[in-house]
Amino acid sequence: MPLSRSLSMTSLSGVLPQWEDDQLPVEDLLLFEVAWEVTNKVGGIYTVIQTKAKITVDEWGENYFMMGPYFEHNFKTQVEGCDPPIPAIRRAMDALISNGCQVHFGRWLIEGSPYVILFDIGSAAWNLDRWKGDLWDTCNIGLPYHDREANDSLILGSLIAWFFKELTDQLGDKPNVIAHFHEWQAGSGLILSRSRKIPMATVFTTHATLLGRYLCAGNADFYNNLDKFDIDKEAGERQIYHRYCLERAAVHCAHVFTTVSQITAVEANHMLHRKPDVVTPNGLNVKKFSAMHEFQNLHSTSKARLQDFVRGHFYGHLDFNLDKTLYFFIAGRYEFSNKGADIFLEALSRLNYLLRVHRNDVTVVVFFIMPAKTNNFNVESLKGQAIRKQLWDTAHTVKEKFGKKLYDALLRGEIPDMNTILDRDDLTIMKRAIYATQRHSLPPVTTHNMLDDSTDPILSNVRRIGLFNSRMDRVKIIFHPEFLSSTSPLLPMDYEEFVRGCNLGVFPSYYEPWGYTPGECTVMGIPSVTTNLSGFGCFMEEHVSDPAAYGIYIVDRRFRSADESCNQLTQFMFSFCQQSRRQRIIQRNRTERLSDLLDWRYLGRFYVHARHLALSRAFPDKFKMDPMAPLKTEGFRYPRPYSVPPSPSASLHSTPHHSDVEDEDDDEPYDEDEEAEKDRMNIKAPFTLGAVHDNVC
């Protein structure tokens, strides 16, 4: 299908192209959004549709519906059942129910409370063989009986296509229907709807191509060989050819094809043989604080809780100053190479060498938050937290006795004798507490008992680089192979609280279509490291003149060798370690100010554009949009901050300094409100939109 016009990532820097009407006539339209992750938390798409729900409901009101599979537990805990507000939807549901298929309706209890229509796959499984035949007759795609995920997606797609047929028959010409499908699991519904010529506008979004994820997981040199892969052969060898065919067919059947980033647009053009019409970046619901210092206070509070954990984990080896300790972390799915954990570990080894050679007193504690197979917490980790709590109780008891004796002496008008204010029992208690902290082994690298300890990629590389949390090491590693929870007996913090307590998030991914983790850091005011192979990294390069000054460090993994990228990452982290406390506070303020770029209130407009484009293609007589017209928009880029050089390393000494000492002599001019106002006023001249580029970033 030839494309006459594409919308590039550069348009994100301003206002979308204007059409005849500023707003779609939503009162005469129904919008349906279809995804496997509706009320069903599986991956990142759940975050996309959940966070986007509020701005979509605000725009569409009761004409917006989400569709997905029914799971009894999810429905009981997340959905409030109710009747559909539109009679035609009720009748379409009844048509399926009368034929033995179960359909459930309600409000999803998330922000915005959108309506959801959920289809019970199990109740319709008896139709599977017939629907497989329909799919084969329609587009010659066959599904193997052993691929349950593909079979379930076909059942869901067939039910959705059936529902849309019943609905459009009820509605007639008005209101018109827009259906937005996410990922290949929902793709069969789009394919069947289009093959049956159901009158509705369709949009298909791929968040990552199937084959791209498989190839990168296999350590292929993916981006340098995009045009060299034999796509059919590669998909067949990985036994996903049928899934790939569903994905590609959905892409080509849709009126409008979108993807989440420029880097994925390039990938999709090669893997799926269609350029995306619109790039629809992923956003977040950004909640601004009334005062700038509030999120800084949250950082301090959360960091104090992290320090308590570190005190327990490193008991007996706590010979480093916690006030001069920085906390780095990486989090996400346990995809060792795709998520960049391999290059991160090597860079940590080099950072440890630099910190030791320069003989400074900065310590870096690095957390790996990636779920892996475990059987429980290890005893040594739990013991450390128990000893820390026991020491705290002992110190509190002695403090109470000391304080009472001091108080009594002062009441008598005496200066107490410090040699007698603590009796023998107090000294004995304190000595026993000190002896309890003695340790004859190194602090553990992992907090849990790993089932595959000898073959685990992170632990194997830790052994290779020799970072075992010894006293000499300035970089300490803690591998927490489980997602964080506020109910954990070991590290009782939820993910948001943990992120706020850290100083730097490090995500040097090789394959990352978007990358929510650095985005979440940004909206919380925490600096992060990303790459120019992630959608987020490309997005920030597009918007920010000097990302590093705003706490967004972008590693070049596209045009540099692995060793050069590793050195660049090492230098970023070393430069960060050289910043004073005041410089880190200033940088966090700048980072948090970028959060507006990631707000759905800004990024949601690209979905609006995609829907209007789909309507203009599906119903050209009703909805006009000239795809050949020269589109113009106004763009902006955050400039380099006025108060500091473009990179922290350009204004720093070769070794880190104690924060308090540096703060006393720091005359660097800085006014947060003035700097933010200058950024807002820095608007570039209008430019013309071009097509989606074939080059990356």
Side-chain angles (χ1 to χ4, degrees):
M1 179 183 289
L3 299 181
S4 56
R5 182 93 199 130
S6 294
L7 185 67
S8 81
M9 176 64 80
T10 50
S11 65
L12 296 176
S13 301
V15 183
L16 272 175
Q18 296 296 309
W19 39 79
E20 290 182 5
D21 296 317
D22 290 337
Q23 299 292 332
L24 286 174
V26 295
E27 65 278 359
D28 297 328
L29 296 168
L30 295 179
L31 173 61
F32 295 86
E33 198 154 3
V34 185
W36 189 263
E37 286 81 357
V38 171
T39 75
N40 179 37
K41 189 170 185 177
V42 177
I45 302 171
Y46 176 90
T47 305
V48 176
I49 58 177
Q50 182 199 39
T51 56
K52 186 170 62 65
K54 186 179 186 306
I55 62 130
T56 312
V57 170
D58 289 345
E59 180 190 357
W60 287 79
E62 301 211 332
N63 286 6
Y64 173 57
F65 305 86
M66 290 184 176
M67 307 173 77
Y70 169 82
F71 295 99
E72 184 178 8
H73 175 74
N74 293 343
F75 189 85
K76 287 182 176 179
T77 57
Q78 300 182 48
V79 180
E80 178 186 18
C82 63
D83 291 326
I86 299 174
I89 291 179
R90 176 76 266 175
R91 291 193 292 270
M93 289 172 55
D94 289 341
L96 272 67
I97 293 171
S98 63
N99 281 277
C101 304
Q102 295 301 312
V103 187
H104 302 264
F105 191 92
R107 282 192 180 273
W108 190 4
L109 300 179
I110 59 174
E111 196 170 6
S113 300
Y115 287 123
V116 291
I117 305 171
L118 304 176
F119 299 86
D120 189 336
I121 293 172
S123 69
W126 56 276
N127 291 294
L128 179 59
D129 288 341
R130 177 166 61 87
W131 286 339
K132 279 187 176 182
D134 290 344
L135 183 68
W136 177 261
D137 293 339
T138 300
C139 50
N140 290 343
I141 297 175
L143 303 184
Y145 72 93
H146 58 77
D147 189 344
R148 180 171 179 175
E149 189 175 4
N151 290 331
D152 285 350
S153 72
L154 175 60
I155 296 172
L156 176 65
S158 299
L159 288 169
I160 287 172
W162 185 359
F163 172 86
F164 280 136
K165 180 69 170 68
E166 297 288 345
L167 178 65
T168 52
D169 286 349
Q170 296 277 346
L171 294 174
D173 292 336
K174 191 175 181 180
N176 292 121
V177 173
I178 308 172
H180 189 150
F181 298 81
H182 291 268
E183 282 296 314
W184 72 272
Q185 291 100 323
S188 55
L190 191 158
I191 298 166
L192 294 170
S193 296
R194 292 282 280 147
S195 67
R196 294 167 187 173
K197 296 182 171 54
I198 297 174
M200 64 183 190
T202 57
V203 181
F204 183 79
T205 296
T206 183
H207 296 257
T209 68
L210 264 172
L211 192 54
R213 191 175 292 280
Y214 272 85
L215 287 169
C216 287
N219 294 321
D221 186 7
F222 183 64
Y223 293 101
N224 288 323
N225 294 285
L226 274 174
D227 57 344
K228 300 180 180 65
F229 288 114
D230 184 337
I231 305 300
D232 292 337
K233 175 176 176 290
E234 297 288 351
E237 287 179 350
R238 288 159 178 79
Q239 299 183 16
I240 57 166
Y241 185 71
H242 54 289
R243 295 187 181 192
Y244 164 74
C245 289
L246 284 175
E247 181 182 41
R248 185 169 169 180
V251 165
H252 286 270
C253 284
H255 291 105
V256 171
F257 171 43
T258 82
T259 189
V260 297
S261 65
Q262 181 66 44
I263 190 81
T264 314
V266 175
E267 174 189 340
N269 186 34
H270 288 282
M271 297 287 112
L272 302 172
H273 300 289
R274 178 178 177 180
K275 287 185 178 181
D277 303 290
V278 186
V279 171
T280 52
N282 293 335
L284 288 162
N285 288 326
V286 178
K287 297 178 181 178
K288 285 288 187 180
F289 294 103
S290 57
M292 178 62 72
H293 64 267
E294 288 186 45
F295 83 92
Q296 297 280 10
N297 291 342
L298 286 173
H299 168 73
S300 298
T301 304
S302 299
K303 185 176 178 180
R305 297 193 63 186
L306 272 182
Q307 287 177 330
D308 280 343
F309 170 79
V310 168
R311 287 186 179 100
H313 192 81
F314 290 94
Y315 82 91
H317 286 257
L318 201 64
D319 51 357
F320 52 91
N321 189 340
L322 288 177
D323 291 332
K324 301 177 185 179
T325 299
L326 301 177
Y327 300 97
F328 296 178
F329 80 99
I330 183 173
R333 287 189 303 272
Y334 198 170
E335 298 176 4
F336 184 69
S337 297
N338 281 359
K339 296 298 182 185
D342 50 356
I343 191 175
F344 186 28
L345 281 164
E346 180 60 34
L348 288 175
S349 176
R350 300 179 187 187
L351 175 65
N352 184 57
Y353 172 78
L354 288 176
L355 293 174
R356 289 174 61 182
V357 163
H358 286 83
R359 297 182 180 276
N360 59 68
D361 52 4
V362 168
T363 301
V364 177
V365 175
V366 184
F367 290 88
F368 285 76
I369 312 295
M370 291 179 160
K373 294 180 180 179
T374 66
N375 59 20
N376 213 329
F377 302 107
N378 63 43
V379 174
E380 194 65 20
S381 295
L382 291 171
K383 179 182 176 183
Q385 300 308 313
I387 288 175
R388 177 193 62 79
K389 187 176 184 304
Q390 183 184 21
L391 279 175
W392 172 258
D393 293 341
T394 300
H396 190 71
T397 302
V398 173
K399 182 186 74 171
E400 289 291 325
K401 292 177 67 176
F402 179 92
K404 187 176 185 304
K405 291 180 180 180
L406 177 62
Y407 173 66
D408 290 340
L410 294 175
L411 280 178
R412 294 192 300 269
E414 301 173 358
I415 298 296
D417 183 356
M418 293 297 130
N419 294 321
T420 60
I421 200 167
L422 292 177
D423 58 30
R424 184 182 296 273
D425 288 342
D426 296 329
L427 294 173
T428 300
I429 290 173
M430 289 190 291
K431 287 178 181 178
R432 289 180 60 182
I434 291 172
Y435 289 157
T437 64
Q438 292 183 357
R439 190 180 213 160
H440 302 292
S441 61
L442 295 174
V445 169
T446 180
T447 57
H448 292 59
N449 295 321
M450 302 289 294
L451 293 182
D452 300 319
D453 185 290
S454 60
T455 58
D456 181 82
I458 288 179
L459 295 183
S460 297
N461 277 269
V462 167
R463 296 183 188 104
R464 178 182 63 82
I465 61 180
L467 286 180
F468 298 120
N469 295 337
S470 69
R471 294 183 186 274
M472 296 182 299
D473 291 330
R474 298 270 51 85
V475 174
K476 318 285 187 180
I477 291 179
I478 301 174
F479 179 23
H480 189 279
E482 194 175 75
F483 284 134
L484 297 168
S485 169
S486 58
T487 60
S488 169
L490 192 65
L491 183 56
M493 302 175 73
D494 59 30
Y495 181 71
E496 179 178 341
E497 188 179 12
F498 171 81
V499 172
R500 287 194 184 278
C502 289
N503 298 101
L504 182 70
V506 185
F507 314 103
S509 304
Y510 183 77
Y511 185 78
E512 193 72 83
W514 176 250
Y516 257 122
T517 40
E520 289 164 339
C521 286
T522 301
V523 300
M524 288 186 249
I526 303 301
S528 61
V529 177
T530 183
T531 72
N532 60 354
L533 290 182
S534 76
F536 176 84
C538 291
F539 180 86
M540 284 301 173
E541 281 188 324
E542 188 76 28
H543 279 71
V544 184
S545 296
D546 181 18
Y550 284 89
I552 309 294
Y553 300 94
I554 301 175
V555 176
D556 184 358
R557 296 203 65 180
R558 176 68 177 93
F559 301 109
R560 296 193 183 194
S561 67
D563 185 64
E564 290 173 328
S565 298
C566 188
N567 283 334
Q568 187 184 21
L569 174 57
T570 305
Q571 187 56 46
F572 282 154
M573 294 190 294
F574 185 58
S575 297
F576 189 86
C577 291
Q578 291 176 282
Q579 294 186 68
S580 68
R581 179 174 178 272
R582 183 172 186 273
Q583 287 170 320
R584 292 198 301 272
I585 290 173
I586 292 172
Q587 189 179 60
R588 282 198 296 273
N589 286 339
R590 295 187 186 122
T591 302
E592 196 271 344
R593 201 162 65 246
L594 294 182
S595 60
D596 286 339
L597 292 176
L598 303 174
D599 197 330
W600 274 122
R601 287 174 294 180
Y602 172 59
L603 298 179
R605 65 186 69 183
F606 295 94
Y607 280 84
V608 175
H609 178 74
R611 293 167 197 146
H612 193 101
L613 185 58
L615 285 169
S616 70
R617 291 177 177 177
F619 308 106
D621 295 336
K622 288 186 178 182
F623 301 92
K624 304 294 184 182
M625 192 176 187
D626 184 3
M628 299 302 293
L631 304 177
K632 290 190 175 182
T633 184
E634 292 183 351
F636 70 88
R637 283 167 64 88
Y638 274 83
R640 177 177 64 85
Y642 289 81
S643 61
V644 292
S647 171
S649 60
S651 62
L652 297 169
H653 304 288
S654 59
T655 56
H657 293 275
H658 188 277
S659 303
D660 297 335
V661 175
E662 180 125 3
D663 288 347
E664 291 174 4
D665 302 326
D666 197 345
D667 296 325
E668 178 186 316
Y670 177 76
D671 186 314
E672 172 65 26
D673 294 332
E674 180 184 348
E675 190 175 292
E677 184 60 28
K678 287 179 180 177
D679 282 357
R680 283 191 289 269
M681 297 298 293
N682 192 282
I683 306 296
K684 288 200 312 185
F687 57 86
T688 304
L689 280 176
V692 171
H693 305 298
D694 288 334
N695 62 311
V696 179
C697 297

